[in-house]
Every structure is written in C-alpha cells, then in structure tokens.
Amino acid sequence: SDAPLWFIVACKELIQKENDSAWLREVCGRRTVQDIIKAIVSAYINGTSNGIKMDAETGLIYSPSHYTWMDTNHPAGTPREGYPIEIQALWYGALQFLSTMDSKDSRWKRLAEKVQKSIGEFFWLAPGHYLSDCLHAGQGTPVREAKADDALRPNQLLAITMGAMKNPHMCRNILETCQELLVPGAIRSLADRPLRYPLKIIHKGQNLSDPHQPYKVRYE
C-alpha cells in the first residue's frame, strides 16, 4: 500500500532538489512519469486489483492485511488491516503534490483537504493526545465503522512530516508523546504500555503474546 506512494514522494523530492519539473515529462514505457503518478492516484481512488481502495466519504485509503512496511505474516504480527495512519499521510502528500503538478484540476486540492480533515477527525485520540496507528476494518468497511487502536507507534510522525497535521498544538502533543518511543540511536515501533484495543499475534492457532500488553523487550 505504501510503495507507490513513496515513489510519488521521491518524484516530488527530485524535482524540488533540481528545481525543475521537466523530469515529470520523461517517457517511461508508453507514458510519462506524470501520467504514471496520475494513474497511481486514480487506481487508489477507484480500487486496485489487490484490494487497496479509497473510502469515498472521508478520502482515506483502505489497506488489506499485511500490506504496510511493518507487517509480517510469519507469524501474523501487526496485520493492520483497515486504515493505517502512515498510508493516509503518504496519500495526503501524493494529493498535495498532484495538486501542484496538475494545478488546473482543482479536485486534487479538494480531495487533499478532505483527507487532512478526516485524519484529524478519525485518528486523533484525545485521551492520549496522539494519533491512532490504525483504524481497523475489514474490506468494504467504511471509516466511520472502523475501530481505532490505541497502540503508540512512530508511524504517526509521517502525518507531521507530510503536512497532513498542521495544528501546532496537536503536532506538539504528538512529538511529546512519541518521545516515549526513543531509545539511544533509534526509535521503537511500539511503546511499552498496556492497550485497550487488543493486538493479537496468532501462530498455529495460538496467541503468542498478551493482546493487551503486546510489547516485548526481546524477540527471537
């Protein structure tokens, strides 16, 4: 779910570095790079053959199980089926870039604004002052029926770096809360704290951890 969106981020950073958008008109196969970017965005909106699809009401992107960078199915850890926060941040960044690349078409800007509003509305966890890592939902389930988990993970930081979260107070709270994840020279992918929303790791029919306390200091 994230690789095509990272490709768009790379395109954006390349033309910013070179201060020249000519590369977007380079032909790759039978299409220009700009055409490929538009095709990626259109596919996310209309739905891909492997199940990625935009929720029409909110503009957020549904991601199938085990489709993001931190997922594994050996055994099934952090499947994150539904609406993961970093996918929404990357999606917002892609739409913003497309709105500048194709400025004559106002729908990209409108959709980016919808996505930004939806992130603030559905991911913000007021009790903890940070963003939910994932709105869990099955395929075809709208965002409004998804269940927000309370796992504190670093994926939410992309919502700030991609510009999806701009409220200074919220951004400050996110950064302060995520300091709990810092270790010397690195950042944890999960905070050592109890959870209300259970995160199960199932292998051969057995649960490998406490779903309400899934953090482990060491894995083998």
Side-chain angles (χ1 to χ4, degrees), residues 70-199:
M70 65 181 301
D71 302 337
T72 174
N73 199 21
H74 307 284
T78 59
R80 304 173 81 225
E81 179 182 10
Y83 303 87
I85 182 58
E86 80 278 11
I87 300 299
Q88 317 314 320
L90 291 166
W91 174 236
Y92 172 80
L95 292 170
Q96 277 289 91
F97 177 51
L98 191 52
S99 71
T100 60
M101 188 179 75
D102 187 18
S103 57
K104 294 181 180 179
D105 193 337
S106 61
R107 60 176 168 161
W108 309 123
K109 183 178 180 180
R110 292 197 305 270
L111 184 53
E113 291 172 349
K114 177 190 283 189
V115 170
Q116 184 177 46
K117 180 181 178 181
S118 296
I119 290 174
E121 179 180 353
F122 293 99
F123 281 88
W124 182 250
L125 300 174
H129 302 293
Y130 61 98
L131 298 177
S132 171
D133 182 65
C134 183
L135 307 181
H136 294 266
Q139 191 166 27
T141 303
V143 170
R144 288 195 178 277
E145 297 178 18
K147 295 181 179 180
D149 71 28
D150 56 322
L152 176 59
R153 296 188 185 276
N155 303 309
Q156 63 186 298
L157 295 173
L158 285 178
I160 297 177
T161 59
M162 292 293 165
M165 292 292 292
K166 294 183 179 178
N167 180 293
H169 177 69
M170 287 182 169
C171 290
R172 190 177 302 112
N173 281 328
I174 290 170
L175 290 173
E176 290 176 355
T177 304
C178 283
Q179 288 189 52
E180 182 179 331
L181 297 167
L182 293 177
V183 295
I187 187 168
R188 290 188 176 102
S189 62
L190 177 65
D192 183 7
R193 53 163 66 182
L195 302 178
R196 295 188 304 276
Y197 185 92
L199 296 178

Side-chain angles (χ1 to χ4, degrees), residues 6-82:
W6 277 119
F7 169 74
I8 297 176
V9 171
C11 292
K12 175 184 177 181
E13 292 184 350
L14 176 62
I15 66 171
Q16 285 179 337
K17 184 70 174 179
E18 295 185 340
N19 195 28
D20 186 359
S21 62
W23 184 73
L24 294 175
R25 296 186 290 276
E26 286 286 328
V27 177
C28 183
R30 296 182 178 180
R31 299 179 294 176
T32 64
V33 174
Q34 181 168 318
D35 290 335
I36 292 171
I37 291 174
K38 286 184 178 181
I40 291 172
V41 171
S42 296
Y44 273 58
I45 292 172
N46 299 319
T48 66
S49 59
N50 55 7
I52 302 167
K53 195 175 193 307
M54 186 184 77
D55 176 62
E57 180 189 1
T58 62
L60 300 180
I61 298 296
Y62 167 83
S63 174
S65 181
H66 308 296
Y67 265 46
T68 67
W69 75 275
M70 65 181 301
D71 302 337
T72 174
N73 199 21
H74 307 284
T78 59
R80 304 173 81 225
E81 179 182 10

Side-chain angles (χ1 to χ4, degrees), residues 195-215:
L195 302 178
R196 295 188 304 276
Y197 185 92
L199 296 178
K200 297 180 180 180
I201 301 178
I202 306 296
H203 182 56
K204 295 182 179 179
Q206 293 186 340
N207 200 339
L208 300 185
S209 65
D210 180 352
H212 292 280
Q213 188 74 51
Y215 177 86

